[in-house]
Amino acid sequence: MDFGLTDEQQLLLESLDELLERECPESYIADLDLHHKPPTTFRKAMHEAGFGSLGFPEEYGGTPVDAVTLVLLATRVARQGFNNGYGLELLQAMDIIEFGNEEQKAEVLGLLANGEVPFALGFTEPGAGSDNSAMTTTAVHHDGMVTFNGTKTLITNALQSKYLLLMAKNPGVEDPRKAISMYLVPMDAPGVTTNQLDKILWHISDSCEIFLDDVTLPESCLVGVKGNGFKQLMRNFEMERLVIASQCLGLAECAFEDAAEYAAQRVQFGKPIGQFQLIQQKLTDMAIKIENMRNFVFKTAWMLDQGVPLKSQGALCKRYCAMAAFEVADEAMQIFGGVGVTVGTRVSRLWRDIRGHRFGGGTDEIMVHIAGRQIVKDHS
Amino acid sequence: MNTTQSWIVVADDAAATGLVGAARTLGTEVVAVVAGRREVADALATAADRVLWLGEPGEAPVEAFAPAVAALVAQAAPRAVVGATTPSGRALLGAVGAALQAPVLSGIGTVELSGDQVVVTRSVLGGVSEHRTGVEGTAVLAVDAGAAVSGTPAAAVEEVAGEALAGARVTEVRPRERAGVNLGAARTVVAVGRGLKAREDVALLTELAGAFGGELACSRPLAEGVDWLPKERYIGISGQHIAPELYVAVGISGQLQHMVGVREAGVIVAVNSDKNAPVFSQCDYGVVGDLYQVVPALTAALKGGA
Amino acid sequence: MKIVVAYKWAPNPQDADVRPDGTVDLSRAKAAVSEYDPVAFELARRLADATAGEVIGLSVGAASIDTPLARKAALSRGLDRLVLVADDALADADGTRLAAVLAAAVRAIGDVDVVLAGDSSIDVAAGQVPLTLAGELGWLGLASVSRVEAADGGLVVERDLPGGTTVLAVAGPVVLAATADAVVPKVAGMKDILAAAKKPTEVLALDGLDVPAPGATLTTLSTAKPGGGDRQATVIDGADPAAAAAQLVGALRQAGAL
């Protein structure tokens, strides 16, 4: 089994290192976090260097890339201490590249090139999250137009985005799996209003409630096939879980490094606290968890590349990495002691941001729901 | 080899006390070969025993005389040739090294004669190690130029024939707006690095340097990455090497490439928000904190005599 | 315009293990294209694009400079092709010897108009080799080049010198060493890295080159670990800036540093 990198992966990581050093020092990330600003200049630089279109088909200016490479890059950006800095926006764009019309593709790719977030995903509702059958936002088609009504909530990046990739239900269709369609709705369309939610983590991304009141648009805002919305969205779920797991890995590595260096320097009772076995046990268990996460993430990516059916693998990986990463961050904070909760100590930000991954992209519990059903089914 | 002579090669710059000093140690007769203006040759006549001058350069860059300088040196085959670490000085030394097929030694600490052999201490691999090296053959040395030579002329200036390489001419010189700063002479130097967030915040450090009665310097990124401070104020392996009595590094992480430039400082103080920054293992006093709070407090403490 | 970029495949001494006796173990320091050389690659690419020219990468050194990774690392940085002299006889070669081999390779490539190089190498950091190369070639060598453009069949070269900015018109063949910040080099993207594998590399045998014999040799008499690393490092918590400042000023007064 080869755990080494290819020359290409190594060079790509070196390029990324250079770009991170230039465009994304800790002071930049801390500033974004403090002022709740999106990483526009970093995204733009990533796009100019070709990282913003990895995985896109060549005819759209992209370079095809395997999942292992993508995961390496997402992990590396996260290891900078940078949450949601790279990867997820690529996946979202792929929905449009795969299912959008030419006009939608051109618009979305153009926005990406400028370092902007093309759209926010409008999926979660006050009464419906992973249970999509409870979705109440409606899309009524009439005379070449479509009218939306409903409320979405906890929509990430809504204020930064020009569009909302809206999931809405045709009230005339009974079967929930055939009722949902995908639409690209301009955030400035009449009838769209937002309410920003204050939160304690993920400050570089805003989170909003979005209200749709008789928002009426030409039917050309439909993305892909009417009634296939959920199926289209599901296409990238496995990759999304994997990218989230990679971010958890990278952020946990960052927290671990900070904690280990701190333990080596912080002197109490006449010696560095890293000399005490209670601290050493923490560091050891953290290292084991990171190694497990790394193996889990890269094995899963390898399976995707080999075309091995993932079945429950993606959900298992996401659940494990989100939980283990938070355990690592929590212990890192413990090693820092009171200093760890002060603003300006990186570990406090990592602790907050990793916590969000225990529900973002599907809660720990939903991962049990997905994996558990699959496991029982496989053994029935 | 001529074991009584050591030569210095001068690239249109009277700052040559460093060259003359090293050459005096290595030979009983110091011969200067000067590419550049007559006034530079006249200045060297106050310090060297013989001065060979290649004539007015006109529009030719001083580097165009490198082959002519090298030919004179090669013919004499002295025990040592000393030049400056400046860009032009290195061009002359490069031609000399090529003419003699001899290595050009840099990072020179001490220079001595051991019997007939030139022995130098030099810092190698970017400063991680110091070697004591003996040279078999002509020793070609790049040293810090030092200050301008002056005094009473001791030697006559001999004009010698030396063709410049054709094809290059200086068409414009835009002098710097500000006069150069002599960090090497400052007792206290306050340097700032990437911890600084905006150009206008340089003022905070100017004030701190003033409160210390010292000069302001910077690490490489501030002089070359963002251009917030002029290059003459940049400390580091390829910038200035200084040895002030007090060096205060603010918002500087302490990479080897920077710290090698202040290794000889008396007392080193570091201010950095990252308690894991390497600078904290290379300083005498380290303040872990936000420079935007610590620097004004420090300025106030110095001014208030607290 | 035929442009050669002389670059170095070298480890960063920051990653070296320095033993107490000053001997250095570089085995754990990973080699890469030397820190400032990408600036020269970028200048060369722009100059070549402006003159419909060609950019040839050139590196000389021990056999280890020629690996698939090392080739691709250079070729992904805007080169058209690569020429290497990789021979363990050059493993500990001094700068003049490397310059002599570079010069022989430049002559072997033939009809070269410009050789570009970075400010200084990451390992030796002296900024000397490009200028010694100029000496070996008998060409003009100019360091501290901040801008270079083609004009009237020659070049306009701008230099950032201590006395100010100097502009030159250069007609003949020339060796130029760039300042570290002459341009911000593009990082190699996936497309560049994939394309690098398809670009040609020519390996010249050291024996086949016309390299003069060394005229002086060096003997290392002793090595030492530099001093200055054993400072006392009294750490003051800056959480209360005024108290920290007072404590520091007091300590400096006591130490006689003020």
Side-chain angles (χ1 to χ4, degrees):
Chain A
M1 204 167 287
D2 187 359
F3 288 95
L5 301 179
T6 65
D7 288 352
E8 284 71 17
Q9 285 165 341
Q10 193 170 328
L11 290 170
L12 205 58
L13 282 173
E14 280 170 20
S15 289
L16 183 56
D17 282 344
E18 207 171 315
L19 210 63
L20 286 169
E21 190 187 334
R22 212 186 273 167
E23 301 287 340
C24 193
E26 171 57 22
S27 58
Y28 174 76
I29 305 168
D31 189 60
L32 296 179
D33 183 69
L34 188 64
H35 297 105
H36 299 205
K37 287 187 299 195
T40 309
T41 57
F42 174 68
R43 287 204 184 113
K44 190 159 193 229
M46 286 290 275
H47 200 91
E48 277 164 10
F51 289 99
S53 55
L54 284 181
F56 295 2
E58 276 173 321
E59 64 259 42
Y60 297 105
T63 318
V65 70
D66 54 6
V68 168
T69 305
L70 209 54
V71 158
L72 278 168
L73 299 176
T75 306
R76 174 65 189 90
V77 173
R79 203 173 73 221
Q80 194 82 349
F82 195 17
N83 182 50
N84 289 345
Y86 178 70
L88 290 173
E89 69 278 13
L90 287 182
L91 300 181
Q92 296 196 353
M94 277 185 224
D95 289 341
I96 293 292
I97 287 177
E98 199 164 344
F99 303 109
N101 60 38
E102 289 309 315
E103 207 175 312
Q104 289 166 340
K105 289 179 199 174
E107 176 74 5
V108 164
L109 290 171
L111 288 167
L112 269 181
N114 281 330
E116 290 172 50
V117 184
F119 53 82
L121 176 60
F123 182 69
T124 305
E125 297 185 0
S130 298
D131 175 12
N132 60 74
S133 64
M135 187 178 282
T136 58
T137 299
T138 56
V140 177
H141 287 248
H142 54 93
D143 315 322
M145 306 295 276
V146 54
T147 298
F148 305 104
N149 276 291
T151 303
K152 296 286 177 182
T153 193
L154 285 165
I155 303 307
T156 305
N157 289 336
L159 296 181
Q160 306 174 33
S161 303
K162 204 168 163 200
Y163 294 92
L164 179 68
L165 190 68
L166 177 66
M167 308 302 291
K169 200 176 197 172
N170 182 344
V173 177
E174 286 288 319
D175 185 346
R177 277 174 302 180
K178 291 178 183 162
I180 296 173
S181 303
M182 187 184 263
Y183 303 90
L184 199 60
V185 175
M187 286 295 293
D188 58 2
V192 179
T193 48
T194 56
N195 174 40
Q196 187 171 3
L197 302 165
D198 259 340
K199 58 188 189 311
I200 62 161
L201 44 75
W202 291 19
H203 291 327
I204 68 162
S205 314
D206 61 82
S207 292
C208 285
E209 286 179 291
I210 301 182
F211 307 101
L212 303 150
D213 294 310
D214 286 328
V215 178
T216 302
L217 295 166
E219 269 185 331
S220 60
C221 69
L222 177 72
V223 177
V225 177
K226 201 168 149 187
N228 274 7
F230 195 69
K231 217 191 285 174
Q232 286 170 205
L233 191 67
M234 292 262 292
R235 284 278 298 220
N236 283 322
F237 270 9
E238 293 296 2
M239 195 63 201
E240 188 192 22
R241 283 175 197 140
L242 184 54
V243 168
I244 293 171
S246 330
Q247 295 212 44
C248 291
L249 166 61
L251 294 170
E253 284 176 332
C254 184
F256 173 74
E257 288 294 323
D258 281 1
E261 278 174 30
Y262 185 78
Q265 287 190 8
R266 164 76 172 170
V267 174
Q268 286 289 280
F269 305 107
K271 52 185 175 181
I273 59 170
Q275 303 281 331
F276 296 109
Q277 288 194 332
L278 277 173
I279 300 295
Q280 289 178 359
Q281 186 184 13
K282 286 186 196 301
L283 290 170
T284 303
D285 288 341
M286 289 158 81
I288 289 171
K289 281 171 188 160
I290 285 171
E291 190 63 20
N292 282 341
M293 280 189 254
R294 193 180 291 128
N295 288 332
F296 216 145
V297 162
F298 287 101
K299 162 89 181 299
T300 308
W302 174 86
M303 286 170 71
L304 265 180
D305 287 337
Q306 301 302 313
V308 178
L310 290 194
K311 294 194 175 178
S312 59
Q313 179 85 8
L316 295 174
C317 181
K318 198 265 173 185
R319 176 179 158 91
Y320 178 73
C321 290
M323 294 174 71
F326 187 66
E327 287 160 15
V328 168
D330 201 45
E331 287 290 46
M333 191 178 251
Q334 194 65 25
I335 289 171
F336 270 84
V339 176
V341 295
T342 56
V343 174
T345 303
R346 178 160 67 182
V347 74
S348 69
R349 187 183 73 229
L350 298 170
W351 184 81
R352 283 186 278 122
D353 283 347
I354 292 175
R355 187 64 184 78
H357 289 299
R358 288 188 52 200
F359 38 80
T363 60
D364 294 345
E365 294 72 21
I366 277 294
M367 294 302 130
V368 174
H369 177 66
I370 295 165
R373 272 186 313 181
Q374 181 71 43
I375 294 166
V376 172
K377 189 175 151 202
D378 287 349
H379 292 80
S380 301
Chain B
M1 188 164 61
N2 184 332
T3 55
T4 58
Q5 282 184 352
S6 57
W7 282 47
I8 62 176
V9 292
V10 177
D12 198 31
D13 190 348
T17 54
L19 314 189
V20 174
R24 283 264 170 246
T25 313
L26 301 176
T28 48
E29 187 187 11
V30 173
V31 182
V33 50
V34 178
R37 292 158 299 160
R38 171 75 193 217
E39 61 196 81
V40 174
D42 287 340
L44 264 296
T46 66
D49 303 312
R50 272 184 76 195
V51 177
L52 309 181
W53 178 52
L54 291 166
E56 287 296 338
E59 288 183 327
V62 68
E63 287 85 352
F65 292 90
V69 169
L72 288 169
V73 173
Q75 203 177 2
R79 176 155 56 200
V81 185
V82 186
T85 53
T86 58
S88 308
R90 288 196 179 283
L92 302 189
L93 287 170
V96 169
L100 299 168
Q101 292 305 326
V104 180
L105 301 183
S106 286
I108 306 293
T110 61
V111 174
E112 61 183 303
L113 271 184
S114 172
D116 258 358
Q117 197 184 34
V118 174
V119 174
V120 299
T121 57
R122 58 191 184 116
S123 146
V124 301
L125 285 174
V128 300
S129 176
E130 260 174 28
H131 282 195
R132 197 159 172 273
T133 302
V135 186
E136 200 70 51
T138 300
V140 185
L141 312 177
V143 306
D144 284 336
V149 291
S150 62
T152 320
V157 173
E158 306 164 42
E159 186 164 349
V160 295
E163 283 287 305
L165 286 167
R169 58 192 178 85
V170 176
T171 55
E172 191 189 348
V173 178
R174 297 196 293 269
R176 269 186 219 291
E177 285 165 25
R178 277 194 293 176
V181 54
N182 190 355
L183 291 181
R187 200 179 155 273
T188 299
V189 172
V190 175
V192 62
R194 269 209 282 211
L196 203 67
K197 288 179 186 146
R199 174 177 221 139
E200 53 269 27
D201 301 340
V202 170
L204 279 177
L205 276 301
T206 310
E207 223 179 305
L208 179 62
F212 270 115
E215 285 288 351
L216 182 61
C218 64
S219 64
R220 185 163 192 145
L222 290 208
E224 294 194 334
V226 293
D227 204 20
W228 290 354
L229 281 157
K231 277 186 195 165
E232 304 88 82
R233 292 187 189 262
Y234 143 51
I235 311 274
I237 180 137
S238 48
Q240 297 216 40
H241 294 228
I242 57 170
E245 286 174 38
L246 174 61
Y247 182 71
V248 184
V250 179
I252 288 176
S253 66
Q255 296 299 311
L256 169 75
Q257 282 83 355
H258 175 76
M259 295 311 285
V260 74
V262 291
R263 193 172 267 159
E264 304 302 322
V267 172
I268 297 182
V269 172
V271 177
N272 204 302
S273 58
D274 176 8
K275 69 179 66 64
N276 298 325
V279 73
F280 285 125
S281 58
Q282 301 168 75
C283 68
D284 298 290
Y285 301 96
V287 180
V288 180
D290 180 0
L291 78 88
Y292 286 88
Q293 293 178 12
V294 173
V295 167
L298 193 51
T299 306
L302 288 163
K303 281 184 176 164
Chain C
M1 199 167 273
K2 198 167 179 179
I3 304 160
V4 164
V5 184
Y7 73 95
K8 195 166 188 183
W9 182 253
N12 186 341
Q14 174 105 30
D15 307 325
D17 283 334
V18 185
R19 303 185 190 94
D21 66 357
T23 53
V24 179
D25 177 9
L26 278 167
S27 57
R28 288 204 306 187
K30 211 173 59 171
V33 170
S34 182
E35 191 172 10
Y36 304 121
D37 292 346
V39 174
F41 288 141
E42 183 78 27
L43 282 175
R45 185 70 261 163
R46 293 185 191 181
L47 189 58
D49 288 347
T51 58
E54 183 189 18
V55 183
I56 305 156
L58 170 63
S59 195
V60 309
S64 59
I65 70 161
D66 183 16
T67 63
L69 176 70
R71 288 185 181 194
K72 280 180 256 187
L75 284 165
S76 61
R77 299 256 191 190
L79 304 180
D80 295 308
R81 62 188 174 98
L82 190 59
V83 175
L84 296 173
V85 182
D87 193 312
D88 279 339
L90 298 174
D92 292 314
D94 64 66
T96 296
R97 177 115 179 107
L98 292 178
V101 178
L102 285 168
V106 168
R107 286 191 293 266
I109 291 167
D111 301 320
V112 173
D113 298 293
V114 185
V115 176
L116 272 162
D119 173 77
S120 56
S121 63
I122 186 87
D123 55 347
V124 177
Q128 184 62 56
V129 169
L131 297 167
T132 310
L133 167 60
E136 295 280 354
L137 289 167
W139 294 5
L140 180 65
L142 301 173
S144 297
V145 170
S146 52
R147 195 168 71 91
V148 53
E149 269 165 32
D152 306 328
L155 296 170
V156 173
V157 174
E158 211 169 280
R159 303 176 66 198
D160 195 358
L161 294 175
T165 304
T166 303
V167 186
L168 297 103
V170 180
V174 65
V175 179
L176 303 176
T179 57
D181 62 343
V183 285
V184 176
K186 242 181 65 181
V187 306
M190 190 68 178
K191 275 187 180 41
D192 307 307
I193 292 166
L194 292 173
K198 300 182 186 113
K199 291 178 179 174
T201 298
E202 185 185 359
V203 180
L204 301 177
L206 181 59
D207 295 345
L209 294 173
D210 180 19
V211 183
T217 50
L218 304 179
T219 315
T220 303
L221 305 172
S222 64
T223 61
K225 195 167 180 169
D230 319 317
R231 294 181 183 267
Q232 63 190 57
T234 305
V235 173
I236 300 168
D237 184 355
D240 178 348
Q247 193 185 339
L248 176 63
V249 170
L252 290 176
R253 285 235 164 83
Q254 194 137 32
L258 284 182

